[in-house]
Amino acid sequence: MLVLALRNGTPTPVAASLEYGAADFSLPDESRTSPRKVPIIGPWLLRMIRETYLVGADLTDPVVSPAKYPAPGDFPSLLVLTGGLDTLRHDMRAFAENARAHGARVTHHEFPGADHAFTHYKPLATARTAIEMIADHLRTAYDTGAGGGTGREPGTEAP
């Protein structure tokens, strides 16, 4: 929805929180690896997503693969949370680094030892920390009025 809002010129959120997502569905499944023998998100699940939710879609379209958005500095303040065992961590890490390099405010945190959906599974300390980080990120954005698609602190100019 964020990419659609940016593309259409409609209002954007003041911030976005991205947990264990896929930023680039055009990447080959072989690029998604995990130290786990059987990770939660394996090639079979990615194939199922492409063959059901994304059937017929252009996997390079930024609506499907936000990493392909041509102006990532336009993103509002981003919180990107990844799990150190999640097969999707590689493209989310690259997404965060690219958005930051283009001027977006990005906080990226990786939870070592956590796999996909770590906000919903044990250890509870990881889930609690992630949820608190999300709340703090959104609270700060709403309290300061930051975001709105500029990707920069209010009152600052583009680099």
Side-chain angles (χ1 to χ4, degrees):
M1 298 304 290
L2 176 57
V3 169
L4 280 176
L6 289 168
R7 184 185 277 174
N8 296 335
T10 56
T12 58
V14 297
S17 172
L18 312 169
E19 300 80 42
Y20 43 80
D24 189 348
F25 274 101
S26 70
L27 292 173
D29 291 346
E30 298 77 35
S31 71
R32 294 185 166 100
T33 61
S34 172
R36 288 187 73 180
K37 186 175 181 177
V38 182
I40 293 174
I41 304 295
W44 66 272
L45 185 55
L46 292 167
R47 189 171 44 257
M48 186 273 304
I49 290 169
R50 285 191 305 273
E51 293 172 358
T52 55
Y53 294 108
L54 301 175
V55 68
D58 175 0
L59 300 181
T60 64
D61 184 328
V63 172
V64 175
S65 295
K68 301 292 187 185
Y69 187 70
D74 291 346
F75 291 141
S77 179
L78 300 174
L79 174 64
V80 179
L81 302 178
T82 55
L85 303 176
D86 192 349
T87 56
L88 303 177
R89 74 190 182 287
H90 304 293
D91 61 312
M92 288 306 292
R93 188 182 303 143
F95 172 78
E97 291 169 2
N98 185 52
R100 183 181 296 118
H102 283 87
R105 279 187 320 251
V106 179
T107 300
H108 172 242
H109 182 81
E110 189 160 293
F111 293 93
D115 202 340
H116 194 77
F118 51 80
T119 57
H120 294 72
Y121 295 105
K122 293 179 181 180
L124 294 179
T126 298
R128 182 180 308 277
T129 299
I131 292 168
E132 288 172 354
M133 289 176 77
I134 296 165
D136 290 345
H137 177 71
L138 296 176
R139 184 180 306 108
T140 298
Y142 279 95
D143 286 350
T144 63
T150 65
R152 292 178 286 280
E153 292 293 332
T156 62
E157 294 184 19

